[in-house]
Amino acid sequence: YGRNTPAFYTIVAIKSDGRALVWGASSHGGIPSAAVLEKLNSGVVSVVTNGPSFTALKSDGTIVRWWNDGSDISPNITNAVSIKQNAFGFCALLADGSLYGTWSGNWKVNDTIAPLIASNVQDYFLGDYAMAVIKTDGSVISWGGIGTVPAILSVPNPEIPFVHISVGWFGFAALRADGMVVAWGVDGFGMGAPPSSLSDALSSGCRAIVCTERARAVLKSDGSVVAWGASANYGSDVTSPVDVSSQLTSGVIAIYATLNYFIALKSDGTVVSWGHTGSSNNAANMTNIVQIATTNLSWAALKSDGTIAGGWNFDFTNGGVPMPTNVFITSIIATSHQGYAGKTSTVGVVTWNTN
């Protein structure tokens, strides 16, 4: 538990002894084949999924993959060090610094990209339609996206290396080691370079970046939040539809994003949300919040008393499993587009809001 990834109708939990437990719908990977189950019986360190397929990394560097019908589709890899997955495939960083993946969709690797990710890859970042890597020299290479995002953007040998990249549908934003944010993408969809009015704010002191489909938010070291993008559609405008700008000038300790709105957790346990019409009101009365989990379509908040507060597009039943009661939940994760799981102090893992 704690390293699970959103799926459709299936949950994978990793136990402390390295076993991976799988349960869910037989048509959505919930009943792996005997060959897959044998491989999942020990040494599993992480699992990722995109719904149609699941990928598990083992401590010996091998990878276990299974399709939604449970069949074994594991690649012949023995030196993987990390795995990630998006809607169109999965990637693995190998010990030799190369990137292995099942490339498809907008982020498919072409003959130009392939040699650039064949060595010296330090980290990699996946969006639904785009991808970016940071090389060991601190440079950035990005490709994919919707619209007129550059097919490739290479920032060779930067004086100050990049440490994190946020990948959106229409562009990218990268955080440098000195706290500066650099962004590029499609201007018409709110994912291009930030407006000049934010130049000073983004030149230093930035420590986290998240993005929605068409907007970005940056958390600064002083606890303030800077946001920009297509406010008319999926909203980075902190004054619309409800003005929350005064609540984002200090005290923010973490920021989160769904496809179309942002959530900020403050040091006093309150929550601020803004973005798509209707999503800015539901956090107003939340208090004593210690953790937030998000899906593409909803979010949930864990309170200090072990109970759950529902965020935007969150229904405790919603045609699925009811919210558990009389349990103390210690941490939460998202398990599907609107489903969640919680680790409890007494009864193990509980799930809710999942169809």
Side-chain angles (χ1 to χ4, degrees):
Y1 176 86
R3 289 164 291 180
N4 309 5
T5 316
F8 296 100
Y9 314 115
T10 292
I11 294 175
V12 181
I14 302 172
K15 301 204 68 175
S16 57
D17 62 3
R19 288 181 298 153
L21 305 181
V22 186
W23 69 96
S26 60
S27 59
H28 289 79
I31 305 180
S33 68
V36 171
L37 288 174
E38 183 177 359
K39 295 175 182 179
L40 295 176
N41 198 44
S42 64
V44 179
V45 295
S46 64
V47 177
V48 294
T49 181
N50 59 5
S53 64
F54 294 77
T55 304
L57 174 65
K58 301 192 66 173
S59 56
D60 61 2
T62 59
I63 289 176
V64 184
R65 297 198 73 214
W66 68 100
W67 196 241
N68 55 15
D69 63 359
S71 58
D72 190 347
I73 54 173
S74 303
N76 185 24
I77 292 177
T78 59
N79 61 339
V81 295
S82 67
I83 54 174
K84 297 179 183 179
Q85 193 148 337
N86 75 355
F88 298 103
F90 93 101
C91 289
L93 179 61
L94 306 185
D96 62 4
S98 65
L99 205 59
Y100 172 91
T102 56
W103 318 106
S104 62
N106 295 60
W107 66 312
K108 186 174 182 179
V109 171
N110 56 31
D111 292 340
T112 302
I113 300 295
L116 298 175
I117 60 173
S119 63
N120 300 319
V121 175
Q122 176 175 293
D123 206 350
Y124 55 112
F125 306 87
L126 280 61
D128 284 340
Y129 299 100
M131 185 172 176
V133 302
I134 296 176
K135 305 271 284 186
T136 53
D137 64 1
S139 63
V140 169
I141 299 167
S142 68
W143 67 96
I146 298 176
T148 56
V149 179
I152 174 174
L153 175 89
S154 180
V155 186
N157 302 315
E159 181 179 346
I160 300 173
F162 291 96
V163 295
H164 179 76
I165 304 172
S166 178
V167 182
W169 282 20
F170 301 89
F172 307 84
L175 177 64
R176 294 198 326 185
D178 63 351
M180 180 179 183
V181 166
V182 178
W184 63 98
V186 182
D187 290 329
F189 289 91
M191 297 297 273
S196 57
S197 59
L198 297 180
S199 296
D200 289 343
L202 297 175
S203 64
S204 63
C206 303
R207 65 183 185 91
I209 314 169
V210 295
C211 65
T212 64
E213 180 183 295
R214 303 183 184 185
R216 300 187 180 100
V218 173
L219 175 61
K220 303 208 58 178
S221 56
D222 63 2
S224 63
V225 173
V226 177
W228 75 97
S231 59
N233 293 300
Y234 292 96
S236 66
D237 187 351
V238 296
T239 65
S240 175
V242 177
D243 188 349
V244 296
S245 57
S246 63
Q247 302 174 57
L248 297 171
T249 58
S250 63
V252 178
I253 57 175
I255 52 176
Y256 310 84
T258 69
L259 276 181
N260 52 19
Y261 46 88
F262 298 102
I263 306 100
L265 176 62
K266 305 197 69 175
S267 57
D268 62 1
T270 59
V271 177
V272 183
S273 68
W274 73 99
H276 190 276
T277 302
S279 66
S280 294
N281 295 314
N282 45 73
N285 298 317
M286 287 189 179
T287 58
N288 301 316
I289 303 301
V290 295
Q291 185 192 350
I292 289 174
T294 64
T295 71
N296 283 343
L297 303 175
S298 66
W299 61 280
L302 175 64
K303 303 189 70 172
S304 57
D305 63 2
T307 61
I308 301 297
W312 172 248
N313 211 16
F314 185 99
D315 189 324
F316 289 121
T317 56
N318 197 27
V321 180
M323 174 67 202
T325 58
N326 300 319
V327 294
F328 188 96
I329 297 175
T330 58
S331 62
I332 56 175
I333 61 167
T335 62
S336 68
H337 280 300
Q338 295 187 70
Y340 298 87
K343 187 175 183 180
T344 74
S345 58
T346 54
V347 297
V349 176
V350 295
T351 63
W352 69 95
N353 208 46
T354 54
N355 289 317

